[in-house]
Amino acid sequence: MSAYAECERIVQDGDPDRAVAVGFATKPAQKHLFALYAFHLETLRIRDVVSQSLPGEIRLQWWRDRLASEEPLEDAAQGSRIATALISTIREHALPLDAFERYLEARVFDLYNDPMPSRADFEAYAGETSSALIMMATMVLDRSAAPRLADACGHAGVGQTAISVLRSEAIHRNRHQVYVPTDILAATGIDASTWLAGGAGSERARDAMRAFAREHLDRVLHQWASIPVSVRPALLPALWVGKAPITAGAKPSALRRLWFYWRQMRS
């Protein structure tokens, strides 16, 4: 199996929302989107495969070293199919290495149990991870249009991450992680320990987090008519999470998702 085919398999299995959206991109761009999204999944799950934070940091450093390498592709990737596809994508599309460096630095937060301090910190975290991923996808899709989309990509990534936090609430609780900003928790009358325990007031915090996500996703929708069709596949998954069920374990209709994507590509 080729490096790009392996990335496609990983995304099809681990992120169907993005996998379906890739189908709306031009054929030449699709393999590069799968490379970006497979890298995202690979780094996102580091917390799940390490028992302590230090091995996680070592894995993140490995990625830093691979992406910064100026060696020939095979040597730079060190046998990793995801790295092979991603490095090839970065080099072919001249994607900014500093964006990947900031992405990997932001992922360090996932390895520890420090609570998310504030909305501003959450926006910064999401901006360096999900928003950056969306921005790099737009650069693959249409490099000339991408510079005008920083604001839309920023809001899309924050909204998407906020919904993802709610979808992953049980997983984070088992890890003793608090991604809901503490100032949002405080505004709803609870603290981090109460949130972790699922105590009284947690539903108010969920509602506040949904409103926070909606605030950002509405900013994307407000700009949608001016966003070129060529780059919309990068933004579709963020808009979809704002429409799909949030309840853990809920499985939204694949047909409904496809219809939503088709309609947004033509609106």
Side-chain angles (χ1 to χ4, degrees), residues 178-248:
V178 180
Y179 280 86
V180 178
T182 54
D183 56 357
I184 288 181
L185 294 176
T188 58
I190 64 174
D191 57 17
S193 61
T194 304
W195 171 258
L196 283 174
S202 294
E203 189 56 40
R204 292 196 301 273
R206 292 186 194 99
D207 289 342
M209 199 66 174
R210 291 186 190 100
F212 175 53
R214 186 76 265 158
E215 174 186 332
H216 283 280
L217 295 175
D218 282 348
R219 297 282 294 274
V220 183
L221 287 171
H222 182 71
Q223 302 176 54
W224 193 250
S226 65
I227 294 176
V229 171
S230 58
V231 300
R232 289 184 180 185
L235 295 147
L236 290 175
L239 295 185
W240 169 244
V241 298
K243 299 287 186 181
I246 294 175
T247 305

Side-chain angles (χ1 to χ4, degrees), residues 29 34 38 45 57 74 81 147-148 170 187 193 200 215 218 236 243 245 255 263:
F34 280 126
R45 61 172 58 126
E57 294 218 36
E74 291 186 4
R81 288 179 177 175
R148 306 192 302 273
S193 61
E215 174 186 332
D218 282 348
L236 290 175
K243 299 287 186 181
L255 183 60
R263 189 176 60 196

Side-chain angles (χ1 to χ4, degrees), residues 14-258:
D15 193 344
D17 290 348
R18 285 192 173 95
V20 173
V22 170
F24 289 88
T26 60
K27 191 67 175 178
Q30 289 180 9
K31 66 178 185 179
H32 299 297
L33 295 180
F34 280 126
L36 286 172
Y37 298 156
F39 164 73
H40 174 69
L41 287 173
E42 183 73 6
T43 53
L44 189 63
R45 61 172 58 126
I46 286 177
R47 174 67 183 254
D48 297 325
V49 298
V50 298
S51 57
Q52 296 180 343
S53 56
L54 181 57
E57 294 218 36
I58 291 172
R59 284 175 179 255
L60 291 173
Q61 185 59 49
W62 183 88
W63 276 106
R64 291 189 187 94
D65 294 340
R66 293 309 92 221
L67 299 186
S69 174
E70 297 181 356
E71 297 175 300
L73 179 59
E74 291 186 4
D75 296 329
Q78 291 188 347
S80 165
R81 288 179 177 175
I82 298 176
T84 297
L86 181 65
I87 294 168
S88 180
T89 291
I90 290 171
R91 292 178 179 181
E92 182 171 336
H93 291 275
L95 299 180
L97 288 177
D98 60 335
F100 287 95
E101 170 62 31
R102 292 193 299 272
Y103 176 101
L104 292 166
E105 183 60 32
R107 282 276 167 247
V108 173
F109 180 86
D110 302 336
L111 305 177
Y112 296 88
N113 292 344
D114 299 325
M116 186 66 70
S118 68
R119 284 173 51 126
D121 290 297
F122 185 95
E123 289 168 342
Y125 166 83
E128 302 293 6
T129 53
S130 293
S131 298
L133 186 72
I134 295 169
M135 187 67 194
M136 286 185 282
T138 66
M139 294 173 73
V140 166
L141 290 165
D142 188 341
R143 190 60 178 257
S144 63
R148 306 192 302 273
L149 300 167
D151 185 69
C153 292
H155 288 296
V158 176
Q160 185 175 26
T161 303
I163 296 297
S164 296
V165 164
L166 294 175
R167 285 180 165 181
S168 303
E169 181 182 334
I171 295 172
H172 294 159
R173 182 170 286 121
N174 288 337
R175 295 175 182 166
H176 302 285
Q177 290 179 296
V178 180
Y179 280 86
V180 178
T182 54
D183 56 357
I184 288 181
L185 294 176
T188 58
I190 64 174
D191 57 17
S193 61
T194 304
W195 171 258
L196 283 174
S202 294
E203 189 56 40
R204 292 196 301 273
R206 292 186 194 99
D207 289 342
M209 199 66 174
R210 291 186 190 100
F212 175 53
R214 186 76 265 158
E215 174 186 332
H216 283 280
L217 295 175
D218 282 348
R219 297 282 294 274
V220 183
L221 287 171
H222 182 71
Q223 302 176 54
W224 193 250
S226 65
I227 294 176
V229 171
S230 58
V231 300
R232 289 184 180 185
L235 295 147
L236 290 175
L239 295 185
W240 169 244
V241 298
K243 299 287 186 181
I246 294 175
T247 305
K251 294 183 178 180
S253 164
L255 183 60
R256 181 183 169 206
R257 176 179 56 208
L258 184 62

